[in-house]
Amino acid sequence: MWTLSRVVESNREARTGLLLAGAVLAALFLTVSGAVAADGAPDQRAVADLNGSVDTGTNLTIIQYNDIQTAMADNESMARLVGAINDRKAALDNPTLVVGGGDEVSPSSLSAVSEWRVPVDALNVLNPAAEVLGNHDLDYGFGAVENFTEESEFPWLVANIRAEDGGNVPGTQNYTTVERGGVTIGILGLVDDAIDPKTAVDFEEQGYEVTDWSQAGSEVATTLEEEENVDVVVALTHTGVPESKEIANNTDNIDVIVTGDDEVLYGPQVTSGTAIVEAGGEATHLGEVNLTVGDDAVGFDGGSLYNLEEGSWSMNETADEVVQAGRTEDLTQVAGEATASLDSTFGNYADDTGWGRVIGDAFLAQTGADLAMTNAGGIRGNFIIDEGEVTYDDIYTSLPFGNTLVTKAMTGQQIVDYLSRTAAPFDNDFGVQPELQVGGLSYEVVDRPDPERKVTDVYVQGDPIDLGKTYEVAVNSYMAGGPMLSELETVDENLTLYGTAVVNYVEQQGTITPPEEDRIRRTTRSLGKADISLDGDVATLEYDVPDAVDSIERSSFTVMNETAGQLAVQSAELTDNTLRLSVNQAALVALSERSDTVQMYGTYNDSVIDPQRNGFDTSRLNGDAMISEATLLENELADARATLEALEEDIVDKNDEIAELESQLSDLKSQLSDRDDEIADLEAQLEEKDERIAELESDSSETDDSDSSGPGFTPAIAVLAALGGTLLAIRRRR
């Protein structure tokens, strides 16, 4: 098994190695269209000779491919592969040998409808001299091997898988010999002991064991040289490059190793007198090894990797027709539509993906289990399903194996133990990786050396896992038959293929939107609880961070719960040893009220851990972002206090207004009292005038009686009359 990160890393190292080796290899006219391996330049001590000094001899070229797998359902890829092999053979003036490195008949999108039949028909067109049995060539069990080898027009080899009686896997043989241009070539097949756990079959139960590959290789090579009198020994090893180097270091009589399994680009190089080559996988490259075969020795004349995705290569019509004939109308059928692209690359090993979440949800829909798990190695194709129509071909290319669904009974503790068991350790070649995709489940994988616990914060359907409770867990049959799970109770066996379960789910949904929640969360350092302050629309979270936290990636921070709730961080700042995050207060309160936990995650650089890291370039912080009831109550109390203070200030203002109004009323009353006094004075004056008038009138009357010719209306009387009018007017105004 391998991941996309391995390919990227291998290609990066390959380019470096090619630059270093270029000057030395130029004289050998080594044309590399792909990439030279990460080890750098070939062993110059052994470039000229593999097992002796060679001055003259017959030139021989070995053309190799390996791990075709999913490309078997791609008519263009297979037509190009066969065409490129024919192009290279036509371009050479010397004998050629074509061989494969295993993992050819499975898996592909045709697996569900064709199993091994179309791949074998395509291989017969390709016409290799021999193939080695790979782990995926056992996807249909040991019984199928005899069937597909019988249909193959070439031998299948494996020398170190032995039956209880010491015999071979039916349909296979230890070695074969062929002749090319007067050169007799012995070809043997080897696998490593990792083939057992990587296959869906139980070796022990079926009565098979894997023996030491170096010892078996040495013994068979000796037989080829001493009994078959071969001139060249070629080992087809489905082991990967590192194990092939081990074989080279522990054997003396193997000239060339053509390997597969880890699917890296490894331009031909010499280790301990043996040339090793691997051409990636999925029919994207071809490898070539050039030899000079003398009377008693073999010399290495360099070699090449050809990138079939670049340049112009012939397209073989027969291979095209074979594959197209195997692609039934079912595979072109549209299952549904996707609102976003779906990741079926090897990135599924490193983290949960939108496509992985869809698969997990499909398992749950098919089985009704509490949670679902599927191994990342069961998601194949190394491609992206584009947004838009999703076809049967897309799904079966991604999920090509003949695995069905099995529901197991597992306690919470057993689930945690299994998650820990499947997670790759920190010192793995690719760093910490969960290597699972899940549904109804979320958890954290601890990304640091020697953690106390590899897996923490496990939740089932949004609730903290109960270690003593028994859950129903849907897995694929490959996992169910593997370590740990095979020993647990089986609740149900659903004979639906795991790919078909996803087809059914996509068809039922019609349109699928990949779930956005982060179900598997990588964490390096946990910062614990935040000091949360609430101010208006903003909630501020402050964490104490260790000195090793050098810097942060501000845009990477997010806050989420264990289901679908996520909250964007408005700002993130690292000052001294304090990490400060700002989020929307109402949103954080709402998230906290409907969750059992709310967590913060963000990417950062760690001066202590990063230098030890494999795989990921950065570390990841985690902290509790849950607003507690106490914080909410304190915030409510603070709001109430602020409201009360505002009311008290308002009352004071109102009292001041009342006092001012009362003062104004008092002034008005005083003014009214003064006016009343003035009126009283005037009334008194009026009364006096009235009395005076009366007196005058009385006097006037007496005067009239005594002297009718008196003065009459005098000026004094006029004045009194005017004063009387004024008093009358004042009264009327009142």
Side-chain angles (χ1 to χ4, degrees):
M1 297 182 179
W2 59 291
T3 68
L4 182 61
S5 62
R6 177 179 289 184
V7 174
V8 173
E9 181 180 4
S10 175
N11 286 342
R12 186 187 303 120
E13 294 175 341
R15 287 191 292 271
T16 302
L18 183 58
L19 290 172
L20 293 173
V24 177
L25 298 180
L28 299 173
F29 300 99
L30 177 60
T31 304
V32 181
S33 299
V36 178
D39 293 41
D43 180 354
Q44 296 304 308
R45 174 185 54 79
V47 164
D49 305 313
L50 295 181
N51 58 10
S53 177
V54 181
D55 294 325
T56 59
T58 301
N59 294 329
L60 173 69
T61 298
I62 298 173
I63 301 174
Q64 65 92 204
Y65 59 90
N66 56 276
D67 298 89
I68 296 176
Q69 299 184 1
T70 56
M72 279 296 185
D74 185 340
N75 55 296
E76 290 186 0
S77 292
M78 290 309 300
R80 184 183 60 194
L81 177 65
V82 176
I85 290 174
N86 292 337
D87 287 347
R88 290 306 305 147
K89 289 166 69 175
L92 296 165
D93 294 329
N94 52 264
T96 57
L97 176 77
V98 179
V99 288
D103 272 7
E104 320 296 11
V105 305
S106 177
S108 75
S109 63
L110 292 172
S111 298
V113 293
S114 168
E115 291 187 339
W116 49 264
R117 293 172 179 81
V118 170
V120 166
D121 289 343
L123 287 173
N124 284 337
V125 176
L126 193 153
N127 191 29
E131 268 284 0
V132 61
L133 200 68
N135 54 290
H136 285 305
D137 299 316
L138 292 174
D139 281 347
Y140 309 109
F142 283 108
V145 175
E146 189 169 16
N147 295 329
F148 71 68
T149 55
E150 183 176 348
E151 295 297 321
S152 300
E153 298 172 1
F154 53 88
W156 288 81
L157 311 177
V158 60
N160 64 319
I161 299 180
R162 315 313 301 170
E164 291 177 335
D165 61 2
N168 292 78
V169 176
T172 70
Q173 55 200 59
N174 293 344
Y175 67 84
T176 188
T177 61
V178 296
E179 185 175 333
R180 296 288 188 270
V183 175
T184 303
I185 308 159
I187 311 170
L188 61 96
L190 298 171
V191 297
D192 61 5
D193 50 14
I195 192 173
D196 185 351
K198 287 194 295 187
T199 60
V201 295
D202 189 322
F203 274 58
E204 183 177 359
E205 183 180 287
Q206 297 294 320
Y208 292 96
E209 68 171 340
V210 180
T211 63
D212 181 81
W213 58 92
S214 292
Q215 180 179 346
S218 184
E219 291 174 354
V220 175
T222 299
T223 298
L224 286 169
E225 288 187 339
E226 296 181 355
E227 298 181 14
E228 301 290 346
N229 296 317
V230 301
D231 301 306
V232 179
V233 175
V234 177
L236 311 182
T237 68
H238 195 74
T239 64
V241 172
E243 291 78 7
S244 294
K245 289 182 178 180
E246 184 176 340
I247 294 171
N249 289 330
N250 289 279
T251 58
D252 296 324
N253 42 12
I254 296 177
D255 300 304
V256 178
I257 293 178
V258 169
T259 193
D261 187 45
D262 53 0
E263 301 184 32
V264 300
L265 295 172
Y266 191 86
Q269 299 180 63
V270 175
T271 296
S272 297
T274 301
I276 301 174
V277 64
E278 183 175 6
E282 300 178 7
T284 63
H285 289 75
L286 270 185
E288 276 190 11
V289 180
N290 299 315
L291 305 176
T292 298
V293 183
D295 293 336
D296 299 309
V298 178
F300 174 57
D301 297 331
S304 306
L305 282 180
Y306 292 98
N307 187 342
L308 304 189
E309 295 178 329
E310 297 177 356
S312 178
W313 303 95
S314 299
M315 302 292 284
N316 184 270
E317 292 184 5
T318 304
D320 186 301
E321 293 170 358
V322 164
V323 176
Q324 291 222 52
R327 292 173 56 86
T328 65
E329 292 184 3
D330 289 338
L331 289 181
T332 63
Q333 184 174 338
V334 176
E337 292 193 356
T339 60
S341 61
L342 303 170
D343 185 355
S344 187
T345 70
F346 290 102
N348 281 278
Y349 281 88
D351 197 3
D352 64 315
T353 64
W355 181 229
R357 296 169 199 144
V358 170
I359 294 170
D361 291 348
F363 281 21
L364 295 181
Q366 187 73 39
T367 63
D370 298 312
L371 63 141
M373 299 185 291
T374 191
N375 60 310
I379 301 173
R380 311 298 288 192
N382 196 25
F383 72 113
I384 299 293
I385 301 173
D386 293 329
E387 176 184 348
E389 291 184 346
V390 179
T391 66
Y392 279 30
D393 188 36
D394 291 327
I395 297 173
Y396 284 121
T397 296
S398 176
L399 306 169
F401 298 113
N403 299 325
T404 56
L405 299 186
V406 178
T407 302
K408 289 285 186 176
M410 300 180 71
T411 66
Q413 185 62 60
Q414 288 171 332
I415 292 171
V416 173
D417 291 344
Y418 188 78
L419 297 178
S420 300
R421 179 173 188 155
T422 52
F426 182 85
D427 58 358
N428 184 56
D429 287 346
F430 311 105
V432 170
Q433 293 186 322
E435 300 191 355
L436 289 176
Q437 295 294 323
V438 298
L441 181 70
S442 66
Y443 62 100
E444 293 178 358
V445 179
V446 182
D447 180 25
R448 61 181 301 141
D450 304 318
E452 181 179 350
R453 290 182 298 168
K454 290 175 64 177
V455 167
T456 61
D457 289 343
V458 183
Y459 283 73
V460 177
Q461 298 292 348
D463 296 322
I465 195 167
D466 184 340
L467 298 181
K469 180 181 177 179
T470 297
Y471 298 89
E472 292 188 354
V473 183
V475 298
N476 63 63
S477 54
Y478 168 75
M479 295 170 64
M484 185 175 169
L485 295 187
S486 61
E487 303 169 4
L488 302 180
E489 175 191 354
T490 297
V491 176
D492 182 56
E493 291 190 60
N494 190 310
L495 297 180
T496 304
L497 290 172
Y498 77 141
T500 302
V502 177
V503 168
N504 294 340
Y505 180 74
V506 174
E507 288 183 331
Q508 291 165 4
Q509 297 294 311
T511 299
I512 56 172
T513 298
E516 294 183 356
E517 69 265 25
D518 195 356
R519 296 177 180 175
I520 305 175
R521 307 167 185 181
R522 182 175 63 92
T523 64
T524 308
R525 293 186 186 270
S526 294
L527 302 180
K529 293 184 177 180
D531 181 8
I532 301 178
S533 59
L534 307 176
D535 183 14
D537 295 333
V538 177
T540 302
L541 294 73
E542 291 189 354
Y543 300 88
D544 292 330
V545 299
D547 292 337
V549 178
D550 283 348
S551 61
I552 61 173
E553 293 184 6
R554 291 180 175 83
S555 62
S556 70
F557 282 84
T558 186
V559 174
M560 65 184 73
N561 67 0
E562 294 301 326
T563 53
Q566 292 198 35
L567 177 59
V569 172
Q570 296 174 352
S571 66
E573 299 293 336
L574 177 64
T575 305
D576 296 328
N577 291 98
T578 299
L579 173 65
R580 185 175 294 102
L581 307 178
S582 297
V583 299
N584 179 273
Q585 175 180 321
L588 183 59
V589 169
L591 199 61
S592 297
E593 287 178 341
R594 68 173 186 262
S595 309
D596 290 321
T597 183
V598 178
Q599 299 284 309
M600 169 279 293
Y601 298 90
T603 303
Y604 76 104
N605 296 313
D606 194 304
S607 61
V608 174
I609 295 176
D610 288 349
Q612 307 176 55
R613 177 177 301 287
N614 291 326
F616 294 101
D617 295 329
T618 55
S619 297
R620 204 169 186 214
L621 288 172
N622 160 247
D624 187 355
M626 184 86 168
I627 297 183
S628 65
E629 291 185 10
T631 301
L632 290 174
L633 289 173
E634 288 176 0
N635 188 61
E636 291 174 4
L637 181 59
D639 289 343
R641 284 174 178 166
T643 302
L644 180 58
E645 289 175 357
L647 287 173
E648 289 175 343
E649 291 178 359
D650 190 46
I651 290 172
V652 170
D653 292 340
K654 294 299 182 185
N655 286 336
D656 291 342
E657 290 178 10
I658 291 171
E660 185 177 350
L661 290 172
E662 288 177 342
S663 176
Q664 293 175 3
L665 180 60
S666 178
D667 291 342
L668 290 173
K669 287 181 178 179
S670 178
Q671 294 175 19
L672 183 59
S673 178
D674 292 342
R675 291 296 178 95
D676 286 341
D677 291 342
E678 291 177 5
I679 292 171
D681 289 342
L682 290 172
E683 287 178 340
Q685 293 177 30
L686 182 61
E687 288 178 357
E688 291 177 358
K689 299 302 180 182
D690 285 341
E691 291 176 356
R692 179 64 179 157
I693 291 171
E695 290 176 358
L696 290 173
E697 288 177 345
S698 176
D699 292 342
S700 175
S701 175
E702 291 177 355
T703 302
D704 289 341
D705 288 342
S706 63
D707 186 4
S708 57
S709 58
F713 187 80
T714 65
I717 292 173
V719 170
L720 290 173
L723 181 60
T726 300
L727 289 172
L728 181 61
I730 290 173
R731 282 181 175 176
R732 286 176 177 173
R733 283 198 300 271
R734 292 183 63 190

